[in-house]
Structures are given as C-alpha cells and as structure tokens.
Amino acid sequence: MSDIIPKPPPENSLPDNFDPFEHLQKIYIPQHNALVKQYFSDLGDDWKPNIASARSALRVACTMVDNDNQLIMSLRHHLLFDLLGYGRKNLATFYGSSLDTALPVSGHPQLFLYFSQDSQAVPANGKRLDHEKSCRLTRYACKSGQALPAITKANLLDIAREIKTQFVKGKKGIVYTSGKIAVSYTDPANGFPRGGRWLVNSKAEAMTLYQKLCNVIDQPFDINKINVITPEKDSTTQTSTQTNTVLGKQYKEPVYRPITNLRFRKAYVAFGGSVPPIFLIDTTYRNTALIT
C-alpha cells in the first residue's frame, strides 16, 4: 500500500517569503501573452499598447501585465478564450457529408467556404444563420503516388490568395443575400459532382458566386450547368411569432429559407480520413490560416 501513496514534497523546498499568486503570475502571464501575440499576429510585431483600431484595442484588453490582480487576469482570459473564441481554435471540424463516399471526384482535396450572419443582425432570441459551400480540387490528388500531382503548400497558398481576392473586400468578407431560391451547379469533372445548392435571393447572385468559386479553383464557368429551383413556399423571417404546441409547451416555428445577409468568414481544405483540415484564410482569426 505504501508504494501507491504519493510522497510528500521535500521540506524547505520553497523560500520563506514564497508568494503563490506572484509565482503563478510569473508562470501564467508569459504563456497567456504568447497566445495573445499569435492570435493578433495580423497586427505585426509592434507591441506598443494602442487603441487606435478595434483589433489593437482588443489586443490591449487581452494582454496581461504584472500589476494585474486575480479578477483582471480572469477577465482577460475570458475575453480571449471565450468571447473571442481562442478556446475553440483548431477544434475538430464537422462536415455536412462524408468524404469517404465513392464519387467521381473522390481522392481530390475538398475546398470549403463558410458564410454566416453578422451577430448584430440576429434578432433577439433568434438563431444565427450560416451556410457552407464546397467543391473538389480536381487538378490535384490528396496524396502522392496518384495519376495527378499531390497538392502542395504552394498550391494552397495560390488558392488562398485567390479566395482573398474574390471573397474579401476591405479586410472583411463579402456579403451575399440568402433566400428561398436554390441554385445548383453540376460539373463533376471540374469539382462540382452533386450540384450542391446555393440558397440565394436571385439567380444572378448565385451565378456571381459560382463564377467567383470557379475562379478560385481555376476552372471554367459554364452557365448551361446552372439549375434553378424556386419553391412555391415563401421565405419566412427570423422574427416570426408563429408557434407550435408540443406536450403542452409552445415552440417557435422553424424559419424557411429567410432572406438575410451572410458574410464570408473562412475557407479550409479537407483531405478526408484522419488528416486535419488546413485553413487557407479565416477572417474571424479563430484558426491559424495560411494567409491573413
């Protein structure tokens, strides 16, 4: 039994004037600020405190200093990890469909573009809307030893720069209007095997988005491969007061393809299996991307 009982620490291992909180600060603050520096790497190496811009003001608020007390340290940690989302950095990404399905484009890397609603546009007690669009990079294979060349970091950087050109304006993701019209684009040989739909408010906007995506992956856009589905049911809004009663409790009716603005947030490439996705660009700065 004595073998499994932890031995007490040696006596006199700490100095008489040892301050646990001061010791914790000396250990914790450099570790925390290293993460702050990584999260705000887009601001460069100038670490002089300033609040001239929104992001530099956030960096000042997140950075711990020696004279912080326990409450301020806790608030700075909460701001970085919870409110700004660093605690969710590089978590597993879940996909809408499996990558191991045998498709005409299986074995090619899959590019994902993610869009979501601005938080200030979400109605009170409403759900933030989002949409993800993907296509296959049919010019490349996921791994070496295939008929096509394996994709390289240089290829990914080229794609990331083109995404920034097509989907980012003024350091912010472009916005498109989502609605009830479902527009698909089917071109298996060039990366669009299933004709996954893009919900929009007009056919013209869908064509613009597909053209941008084709430019990103360096494939031709063919208007004849566009298909439009316009259901008879009208869009509903996020502020609908219609409810359903289930087991004596009222629930709001789900929204149906509401007309709302969605902004581009990030893009990443997935390879399937156990290979982690590679983020090409992330305007939320929650993931480490190839470019900023």
Side-chain angles (χ1 to χ4, degrees):
M1 177 67 75
S2 60
D3 292 337
I4 63 173
I5 297 177
K7 296 180 179 180
E11 294 182 3
N12 302 322
S13 60
L14 298 174
D16 293 336
N17 60 347
F18 178 74
D19 185 332
F21 181 67
E22 183 178 353
H23 174 73
L24 175 62
Q25 279 189 310
K26 288 181 179 179
I27 299 298
Y28 188 87
I29 288 178
Q31 300 293 327
H32 175 87
N33 286 346
L35 300 181
V36 173
K37 184 176 181 179
Q38 182 178 5
Y39 185 83
F40 292 97
S41 59
D42 58 298
L43 298 181
D45 296 327
D46 181 10
W47 275 82
K48 293 180 180 178
N50 77 82
I51 55 174
S53 67
R55 277 192 63 75
S56 62
L58 281 173
R59 184 176 65 179
V60 170
C62 290
T63 304
M64 293 186 182
V65 295
D66 290 339
N67 61 353
D68 283 350
N69 59 32
Q70 184 177 353
L71 175 60
I72 294 178
M73 289 179 63
S74 178
L75 288 174
R76 294 193 199 279
H77 176 96
H78 176 63
L79 174 61
L80 178 67
F81 280 81
D82 299 327
L83 296 185
L84 297 183
Y86 195 90
R88 298 186 294 274
K89 179 179 178 293
N90 289 337
L91 294 180
T93 304
F94 293 87
Y95 309 98
S97 60
S98 174
L99 297 181
D100 57 6
T101 305
L103 293 171
V105 289
S106 61
H108 300 286
Q110 189 166 5
L111 171 66
F112 289 84
L113 274 65
Y114 175 77
F115 302 79
S116 67
Q117 192 177 16
D118 287 343
S119 57
Q120 62 268 28
V122 180
N125 301 319
K127 179 183 178 182
R128 186 177 184 179
L129 300 178
D130 60 5
H131 183 69
E132 192 169 60
K133 183 64 186 172
S134 72
C135 63
R136 293 279 183 161
L137 304 177
T138 54
R139 293 179 179 272
Y140 309 103
C142 287
K143 56 186 179 180
S144 57
Q146 308 299 308
L148 289 172
I151 197 165
T152 65
K153 184 176 181 179
N155 299 141
L156 293 174
L157 282 169
D158 287 340
I159 295 171
R161 295 187 187 104
E162 188 61 28
I163 291 173
K164 187 173 183 178
T165 298
Q166 298 291 334
F167 290 95
V168 178
K169 302 296 180 185
K171 298 184 178 181
K172 289 186 177 182
I174 65 168
V175 174
Y176 78 92
T177 304
S178 178
K180 71 174 184 178
I181 301 174
V183 181
S184 64
Y185 184 74
T186 307
D187 187 0
N190 291 320
F192 300 88
R194 288 174 169 166
R197 67 187 185 183
W198 209 321
L199 293 177
V200 290
N201 200 37
S202 70
K203 176 183 177 181
E205 189 155 35
M207 290 175 57
T208 298
L209 292 169
Y210 277 115
Q211 285 175 324
K212 286 178 175 291
L213 189 49
C214 285
N215 288 338
V216 165
I217 63 175
D218 197 21
Q219 296 287 10
F221 172 77
D222 186 349
I223 191 174
N224 296 315
K225 295 174 180 178
I226 286 281
N227 184 46
V228 181
I229 302 174
T230 308
E232 293 182 1
K233 184 177 178 180
D234 290 330
S235 299
T236 56
T237 69
Q238 290 177 271
T239 56
S240 173
T241 58
Q242 299 296 317
T243 60
N244 293 320
T245 302
V246 178
L247 297 176
K249 187 174 181 179
Q250 287 191 333
Y251 298 89
K252 283 188 176 181
E253 287 190 355
V255 297
Y256 174 78
R257 300 186 184 180
I259 298 175
T260 187
N261 291 331
L262 300 181
R263 186 182 300 277
F264 170 74
R265 304 292 180 187
K266 59 189 175 184
Y268 59 93
V269 172
F271 301 89
S274 60
V275 182
I278 294 179
F279 284 86
L280 306 182
I281 184 171
D282 186 353
T283 64
T284 70
Y285 300 99
R286 290 180 177 175
N287 301 280
T288 303
L290 294 183
I291 66 171
T292 57

